[in-house]
Amino acid sequence: MTRASQLFLPYQKKWLADKSRLKIVEKSRRIGMTWTQAYEDVRDACPKKGGMDVWFSSADESAAREYIRYCDQWRQVLGVAGELMGEVLIDSERDVKAFSLNLANGKRINALTSNPKAFRSKGGKLVLDEFAYHEDQESMWKASRPIITWGYPARILSTYNGKGNRYFRMVEESRRGNGWRLHTTTIEDAVNQGLADKIVGRELTEAERQEWLRQERETCGDEETWQQEYMCVPVDEATAWLTWEMLAACEHPQAGQPELYQKRVCFLGMDIARRRDLTVIYVVEKLGDVLWVREVVVMKNASFAAQEAELERLWRTYKILRGCLDQTGLGEQMTERAKAKFGNSRVEGVLFTNLSKQALAMGLKQRHEDRLIRTPIDKIARDSLHSVRKAITAAGNPRFDADRGDMGHADHFWALGLAVHAAGEGFVPIEFEPFGQTGIAPKLDPYANPFGFDRY
């Protein structure tokens, strides 16, 4: 492939150089792997001796058409005689049609859609493109696997489509050494090896490549799409605790704007971090039955003194009835100092355990399901709120967690969950010393208005 090799990027060359009988790739979208696979298939089909038929399937008809065009282009580049047949009937009994390329040696490359019956009674090389997006992967694999029984090779290429499918299981099994050779190419891998240069049409600087990646990520829509479609990280939407629909239904353009504060009672939640994650503080105002996010503070690598100063500013700005702080680890001292400053009855430290996380997650979900919360329209916050997933441990207990990423560790989720917990209906204030005053805190009637302002 001397002449053609100049057209390929390193990750594509690596795929082509791997002569393993069984290969599978987890890949980013639009990095040229189907185009590369078409070259390999023409190369394997065209020899006068040892050539083979190729049976290719993708998730839809347009992808099949695109692939067969790639094959015809490579046939011409390699100087192989042949004819592009278009759509032909290849099995009259089953009414199976394919887009076919006939080669001079009598071999044929066939591109079909994902109908399992099309693969019955066939033999040759098997290529399943975007396999995770085939409608019935189990039936497709059952029908297509016998194609390679007589020693022919198989190739599976796909981006991820969650975890509950055969493609995900096949990748996981390949990691355990089941005979399939696994390749992985994320969008970052591809760009670092020249993809953006190829797209732009000139050699880019490293800074330009990173800027290209930043823009792609920013315009992607949401973090889950970026991770799954471009970074080879499978995400199962079915396990997302707060779905996109729940989150979108509760977003409001007037949420998160401190200037719209109505001077009603507020509640605060604070997820504390120092280096690895983000410190996030949510202040919510209760208007009727609805909690409105009034202000969100995000701090990264902030000193504890700076975090305490920000907490004090919020306490002075809003009429905060109660605040819940993450008391786990680094939050221990912060919680103690907050209690001393703002009053024991107004500050609750929450130790993050599986049980307490479950309570926070349940409260936050209930608010979203009932649409009794209004959150800002903010991509980073939305991705963080969506990132937490429920899993069941080996002991049968629920566990709520999220992957740690560049933008923290679901810090918005836990901060807002703490604020909702602070506003819980079961809370009855027993005593409270207004911030900024000294003396003995008065006993309060649980049903009285502790601040003397409009009812909440």
Side-chain angles (χ1 to χ4, degrees):
M1 70 179 203
T2 308
R3 200 174 127 208
S5 66
Q6 301 173 2
L7 302 173
F8 296 112
L9 297 172
Y11 61 91
Q12 295 167 326
K13 291 180 181 179
K14 182 180 178 182
W15 176 259
L16 294 172
D18 185 352
K19 299 301 194 297
S20 302
R21 179 178 174 235
L22 307 175
K23 294 193 298 186
I24 187 169
V25 60
E26 50 179 1
K27 68 180 187 67
S28 165
R29 294 279 300 276
R30 308 309 297 170
I31 61 170
M33 286 304 293
T34 304
W35 176 75
T36 305
Q37 184 58 46
Y39 172 85
E40 184 192 83
D41 296 338
V42 172
R43 184 188 68 185
D44 288 351
C46 72
K48 291 182 179 180
K49 291 185 178 180
M52 63 189 75
D53 289 334
V54 177
W55 300 94
F56 170 96
S57 176
S58 195
D60 55 55
E61 182 176 310
S62 63
R65 286 181 180 273
E66 183 178 51
Y67 165 79
I68 208 69
R69 285 200 301 267
Y70 289 156
C71 289
D72 193 45
Q73 291 167 5
W74 284 123
R75 175 192 66 78
Q76 296 175 51
V77 169
L78 295 174
V80 176
E83 181 182 4
L84 187 62
M85 302 298 292
E87 188 175 32
V88 298
L89 183 67
I90 61 172
D91 189 332
S92 58
E93 291 185 9
R94 297 183 178 89
D95 190 29
V96 174
K97 297 178 181 179
F99 301 100
S100 295
L101 174 65
N102 284 355
L103 301 178
N105 64 353
K107 299 303 179 182
R108 177 183 285 183
I109 299 176
N110 305 281
L112 306 91
T113 55
S114 56
N115 185 350
K117 69 179 182 179
F119 288 85
R120 297 284 177 183
S121 305
K122 307 295 188 300
K125 181 180 182 180
L126 173 65
V127 181
L128 299 177
D129 185 48
E130 289 298 357
F131 187 46
Y133 288 86
H134 285 230
E135 289 184 7
D136 189 348
Q137 294 170 44
E138 297 296 337
S139 296
M140 170 61 87
W141 183 244
K142 185 184 296 184
S144 63
R145 171 60 181 82
I147 287 176
I148 65 171
T149 299
W150 285 64
Y152 292 108
R155 308 288 184 251
I156 296 180
L157 308 86
S158 193
T159 51
Y160 277 110
N161 185 21
K163 297 181 179 181
N165 53 62
R166 172 167 280 280
Y167 171 72
F168 173 77
R169 295 199 304 274
M170 291 180 77
V171 171
E172 291 301 297
E173 288 166 4
S174 72
R175 295 188 202 280
R176 295 194 288 269
N178 69 343
W180 286 82
R181 182 70 64 86
L182 175 64
H183 291 243
T184 302
T185 306
T186 68
I187 189 67
E188 290 181 354
D189 296 331
V191 168
N192 290 336
Q193 294 176 42
L195 178 66
D197 303 53
K198 201 170 187 178
I199 292 172
V200 174
R202 63 177 176 84
E203 185 174 352
L204 303 179
T205 65
E206 182 58 28
E208 288 175 324
R209 293 188 188 101
Q210 295 310 308
E211 175 60 19
W212 189 92
L213 273 172
R214 187 195 66 77
Q215 291 182 15
E216 288 296 301
R217 184 171 188 169
E218 190 174 275
T219 57
C220 187
D222 58 76
E223 185 64 17
E224 180 179 292
T225 299
W226 177 257
Q227 291 297 327
Q228 180 157 265
E229 299 280 352
Y230 295 93
M231 294 301 294
C232 303
V233 178
V235 178
D236 194 345
E237 170 66 14
T239 64
W241 187 241
L242 299 180
T243 67
W244 295 121
E245 291 76 13
M246 286 184 197
L247 295 169
C250 294
E251 290 181 348
H252 197 283
Q254 293 182 352
Q257 299 189 34
E259 64 273 14
L260 298 181
Y261 175 39
Q262 302 296 303
K263 309 298 182 183
R264 305 293 181 86
V265 68
C266 292
F267 301 90
L268 179 145
M270 182 177 185
D271 187 31
I272 299 170
R274 180 61 182 88
R275 297 189 185 280
R276 294 184 66 188
D277 302 317
L278 304 174
T279 291
V280 179
I281 310 174
Y282 269 76
V283 176
V284 298
E285 181 180 14
K286 190 169 186 180
L287 300 177
D289 292 332
V290 179
L291 296 179
W292 282 78
V293 173
R294 279 294 164 237
E295 187 167 351
V296 182
V297 175
V298 179
M299 308 176 78
K300 187 175 179 64
N301 295 328
S303 67
F304 290 122
Q307 295 183 44
E308 285 191 37
E310 193 62 19
L311 185 61
E312 183 172 325
R313 179 190 70 79
L314 293 172
W315 223 283
R316 289 185 181 279
T317 302
Y318 300 96
K319 297 174 180 177
I320 296 174
L321 178 61
R322 186 185 186 214
C324 287
L325 278 61
D326 166 20
Q327 191 175 337
T328 313
L330 298 174
E332 189 76 46
Q333 183 177 1
M334 182 85 72
T335 302
E336 283 186 10
R337 292 169 67 90
K339 284 183 176 181
K341 189 174 292 186
F342 310 127
N344 281 330
S345 64
R346 299 174 69 198
V347 176
E348 177 189 349
V350 177
L351 292 170
F352 277 2
T353 64
N354 282 347
L355 190 61
S356 65
K357 281 186 171 184
Q358 181 179 1
L360 296 178
M362 292 288 288
L364 194 53
K365 186 171 191 174
Q366 190 66 57
R367 279 280 171 180
H368 279 83
E369 287 181 335
D370 296 341
R371 299 191 180 184
L372 294 179
I373 192 168
R374 299 292 179 269
T375 56
I377 302 174
D378 180 88
K379 177 183 180 300
I380 293 175
R382 185 188 309 123
D383 289 341
S384 178
L385 292 171
H386 182 69
S387 67
V388 169
R389 283 166 163 69
K390 179 183 177 181
I392 302 299
T393 67
N397 300 315
R399 175 184 175 86
F400 295 86
D401 209 348
D403 294 331
R404 178 175 276 106
D406 295 339
M407 300 310 297
H409 191 207
D411 307 298
H412 285 264
F413 182 97
W414 298 117
L416 184 56
L418 287 164
V420 168
H421 180 67
E425 301 301 328
F427 171 65
V428 178
I430 298 177
E431 60 179 357
F432 132 81
E433 180 179 344
F435 180 53
Q437 299 181 18
T438 57
I440 299 175
K443 299 290 183 181
L444 295 180
D445 179 347
Y447 301 100
N449 184 340
F451 295 103
F453 49 83
D454 293 343
R455 276 281 181 190
Y456 55 94

